Amino acid sequence: MKTNLTEKEALLIAQEYKDKYEFYGQLTGEVRFYEKFSKNVKGFTAWLVIGKIETLSPKDDNEYEIVVSDETALVEYVIDINGFERYPHIEDGGLTEEEIKELFGEDDDLD
């Protein structure tokens, strides 16, 4: 399939977005293309750029994905390490840290 973006362009868009919204962790350089990713992505085609954060336990999920629309060349949203869609570029773009703690409890409650 002919794409509008290259892998390198998708990675650059994701890196600029990560820097602008000050995400933790690092992008791994791994980029995946999906011809039919989600109805939440304009044009349905998307690049997922993988990032990782340090976690307390090696068993914890530590990967997040920045979803870049191939059609618009913009970040549509971020899938956080818990699988939630986040929209940092939109005011009120996801759960706040306080809301997450309310839903899932404090970190020390998980022991």
Side-chain angles (χ1 to χ4, degrees), residues 33-83:
F33 178 75
Y34 293 89
E35 188 174 339
K36 294 182 180 178
F37 181 68
S38 168
K39 65 181 180 182
N40 294 339
V41 175
K42 185 158 178 73
F44 300 106
T45 56
W47 296 88
L48 266 62
V49 181
I50 310 304
K52 289 193 176 188
I53 62 170
E54 287 188 35
T55 57
L56 296 175
S57 168
K59 295 178 184 179
D60 291 340
D61 288 334
N62 68 342
E63 201 173 87
Y64 64 89
E65 294 91 19
I66 299 176
V67 181
V68 179
S69 167
D70 186 62
E71 185 174 310
T72 65
L74 297 171
V75 172
E76 295 283 339
Y77 54 91
V78 177
I79 302 171
D80 71 15
I81 63 171
N82 297 306

Side-chain angles (χ1 to χ4, degrees), residues 14-15 21-22 27 31 35 51 56 66 75 77 79 81-82 87 96 108-109:
Q15 184 65 56
Y21 294 100
E22 300 177 352
L27 297 181
V31 180
E35 188 174 339
L56 296 175
I66 299 176
V75 172
Y77 54 91
I79 302 171
I81 63 171
N82 297 306
Y87 302 84
T96 64
D108 52 353
D109 291 345

